[in-house]
């Protein structure tokens, strides 16, 4: 049982009780007070996550971590949640990442482990992922599956490959893909027998399956007079023949993609931003090769995907659409789902207030309803629509999981139980105007005024990575916002130009502006907070990671006197590394490479006049630690104040951070701000 953009298990129509009751039944994970919370309370492995209900509603599964160090699989019987769960461990060398139901009594488990090689047999100090199928007793299902080109060691390492379809109407089989060649296999999850159903193709990729597991759309990468393009091929509903329907060119940066299928074999959903600032989802007529009416669009945010039912009662029906608002949102077109979400919000005390949003492209103002802090999401539902798994979270609310059953809501557990009663401050959406008039969205987290007063506060500007990325008005998985807000800091996350997911204008405004206007947006955010009385003008720092680390380095270079110090995690010291990586990829050479231009902080170390703290993971293959070492060496050579820390066994992405690494980042940055950041510290 799972919730995704393209499918959601729902079943027969069962109305949710008008008045829901939240009970204080025994929680799956016990909560403990800790105030003020130490770094370990944020850095631990989540005590509960990846929660799902089985299609038949008889079991729950999730990842737990009682000690905060290792994750375990826990399986509960919904008839008696007060009973201890059945717990399944993992190999000491591997770490559990995700778990989900494939069938009522079969689990798909994803793990990762450190490796010294990749599938091609080349030396690479990184992390590899494996998928495996278990029964509810934790026993692996024996597999006859063998992917061509893999030896026994490699096959054992990748497991069953990637899931293409869980075939919700098939009681025994799923469809998986060979990670190396792209071959598709039908796999019986009970006896382990596999049958190849389709060979992979060197010409085509990105095969998309409908709810019945049939590949009905795929993409082709090719060139037109030297110009790279992506062509969308679609299978005819009448003849089964494949043909190209539309294409988009990498240089134009306006992807057109299949967002989902419908019960009508001739109509599919297409996502496109052509001629629009925000992507919309259209109906597409395959036979007539014609783009139809807009199925879903938001006036100020990108439409993302389609949610369909995969339950027997209303198989394939459209239930809603997802979009990227201040946080990821679902617009339920199904009345029962919409009503259920409203009632769940009411039962869990979620308050939503009006917020005047300025559209970045048009300048028009619209009124949104935005949660004051925490909001809820329906993450899993049983086929009979009697059991719902609810996730409640917000900028100041660590994730909490609830079970809605028979009109009653029961707390299952908290991801960070030690933070239950912590005063973590509140996060809110804001917008400010950059010096050239462009509207910049941002997320502002302020400390609790009952503890730290009304401000102004010491303030941290936190640029995100990417730079083609964005932040969400939700619980921050790095915990930086909450950790520092609990210690009296205000934290601003500017969605600077070049950020993706806020529309074409903001995204494209970052072209060629690394260290220039993208950097201006950070400075203008700091000045805005000063003018609003939020930021103390002599107590502002910058802390970012990846591209945010680069932006932190550039903040140290800028001679504007705004910042007292900077902390940069895994940042490139020059744009050359990024440009080389994008140039070597024939698609990115036209899609992103031309946009990456600007200033190199390592060439301007003589202009640095504030303390700098650098850190990186020793296994980082994305932004190699040599970048931080080179910048530190250059600063030392110029007589500047710099500290460097290389963290052991850490790659670039968050899933590779151990609790020890996580805690080391939080505490070392905090200590740097306290002891080395300007006169008297930040």
């Amino acid at each position: 049982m799972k919730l995704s953009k393209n499918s959601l298990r729902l079943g027969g129509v069962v109305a949710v009780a008008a008045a829901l009751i939240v009970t204080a039944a025994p929680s799956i994970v016990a909560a403990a007070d800790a105030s003020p919370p130490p770094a370990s309370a944020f850095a631990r492995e989540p005590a509960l996550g990846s929660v799902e209900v089985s299609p038949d509603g008889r079991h729950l599964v999730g990842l737990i971590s009682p000690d905060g160090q290792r994750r375990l699989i826990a399986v509960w019987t919904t008839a008696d949640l007060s009973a201890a769960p059945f717990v399944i461990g993992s190999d000491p060398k591997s770490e559990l990442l995700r778990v989900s139901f494939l069938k009522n009594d079969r689990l798909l488990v994803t793990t990762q482990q450190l490796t010294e090689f990749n599938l091609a047999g080349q030396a690479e100090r990184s992390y590899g992922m494996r998928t495996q199928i278990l029964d509810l007793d934790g026993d692996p299902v024996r597999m006859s599956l063998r992917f061509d080109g893999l030896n026994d060691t490699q096959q054992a390492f990748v497991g069953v490959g990637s899931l293409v379809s869980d075939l919700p109407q098939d009681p025994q089989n799923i469809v998986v893909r060979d990670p190396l060649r792209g071959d598709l296999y039908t796999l019986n999850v009970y006896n382990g027998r596999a049958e190849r159903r389709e060979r992979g193709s060197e010409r085509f990729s990105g095969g998309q399956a409908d709810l019945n597991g049939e590949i009905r759309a795929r993409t082709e990468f090719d060139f037109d007079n030297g110009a790279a393009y992506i062509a969308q091929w679609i299978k005819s509903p009448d003849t089964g023949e494949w043909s190209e329907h539309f294409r988009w060119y990498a240089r134009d940066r306006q992807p057109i993609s299949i967002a989902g299928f419908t019960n009508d074999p001739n109509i599919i959903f297409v996502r496109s931003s052509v001629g629009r600032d925000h992507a919309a989802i259209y109906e597409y007529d395959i036979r007539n090769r014609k783009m139809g009416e807009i199925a879903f669009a938001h006036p100020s945010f990108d439409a993302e995907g389609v949610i369909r039912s995969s339950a027997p009662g209303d198989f394939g029906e459209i239930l809603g659409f997802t979009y990227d608002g201040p946080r990821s949102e679902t617009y339920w077109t199904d009345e029962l789902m919409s009503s259920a979400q409203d009632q769940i919000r009411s039962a869990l005390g979620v308050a939503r207030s009006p917020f005047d949003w300025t559209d970045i492209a048009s300048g028009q103002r619209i009124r949104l309803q935005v949660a004051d802090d925490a909001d809820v999401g329906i993450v899993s539902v049983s086929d009979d629509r009697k059991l719902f798994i609810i996730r409640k979270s917000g900028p100041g609310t660590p994730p909490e999981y609830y079970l809605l059953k028979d009109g009653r809501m029961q707390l299952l557990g908290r991801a960070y139980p030690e933070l239950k009663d912590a005063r973590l401050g509140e996060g809110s959406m804001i917008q400010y105007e950059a010096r050239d008039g462009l509207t910049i969205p941002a997320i502002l987290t302020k400390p609790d005024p009952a503890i730290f007063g009304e401000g102004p506060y010491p303030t941290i500007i936190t640029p995100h990575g990417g730079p083609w990325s964005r932040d969400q008005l939700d619980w921050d998985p790095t915990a930086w916002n909450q950790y520092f807000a609990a210690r009296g800091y205000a934290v601003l996350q500017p969605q600077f130009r070049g950020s993706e997911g806020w529309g074409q204008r903001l995204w494209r405004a970052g072209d060629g502006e690394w260290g220039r206007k993208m950097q201006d947006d950070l400075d203008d955010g700091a000045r805005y907070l000063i003018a609003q009385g939020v930021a103390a003008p002599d107590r502002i720092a910058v802390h970012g990671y990846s591209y945010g680390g680069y932006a932190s380095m550039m903040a140290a270079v800028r001679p504007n006197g705004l910042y007292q110090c900077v902390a940069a995690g895994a940042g490139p010291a020059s744009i050359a590394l990024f440009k080389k990586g994008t140039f070597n990829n024939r698609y990115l050479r036209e899609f992103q490479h031309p946009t990456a231009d600007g200033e190199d902080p390592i060439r301007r170390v003589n202009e640095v006049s504030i303390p700098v703290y650098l850190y990186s993971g020793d296994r980082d293959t994305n932004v190699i630690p040599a970048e931080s070492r080179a910048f530190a060496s250059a600063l030392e050579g110029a007589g500047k104040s710099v500290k460097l820390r290389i963290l052991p066994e850490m790659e670039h992405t968050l899933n590779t951070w151990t609790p020890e690494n996580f805690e080391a980042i939080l505490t070392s940055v905090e200590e740097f701000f306290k002891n080395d950041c300007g006169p008297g510290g930040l």
Side-chain angles (χ1 to χ4, degrees), residues 101-116:
F101 282 103
L102 290 172
K103 309 296 178 185
N104 288 320
D105 56 356
R106 289 296 183 268
L107 304 174
L108 179 67
V109 178
T110 303
T111 60
Q112 72 176 13
Q113 69 182 64
L114 285 168
T115 67
E116 302 296 336

Side-chain angles (χ1 to χ4, degrees), residues 351-392:
R352 288 162 65 87
S353 301
F355 176 71
D356 290 327
W357 176 267
T358 299
D359 185 78
I360 298 168
S362 68
Q364 294 181 341
R365 295 176 70 83
I366 65 171
R367 177 152 288 198
L368 305 175
Q369 292 292 321
V370 179
D372 293 346
D373 180 74
D375 206 346
V376 298
I378 300 171
V379 298
S380 181
V381 190
S382 62
D383 276 352
D384 61 9
R385 209 179 294 195
K386 290 183 178 180
L387 284 83
F388 291 66
I389 301 297
I390 311 301
R391 183 183 189 268
K392 179 182 179 182

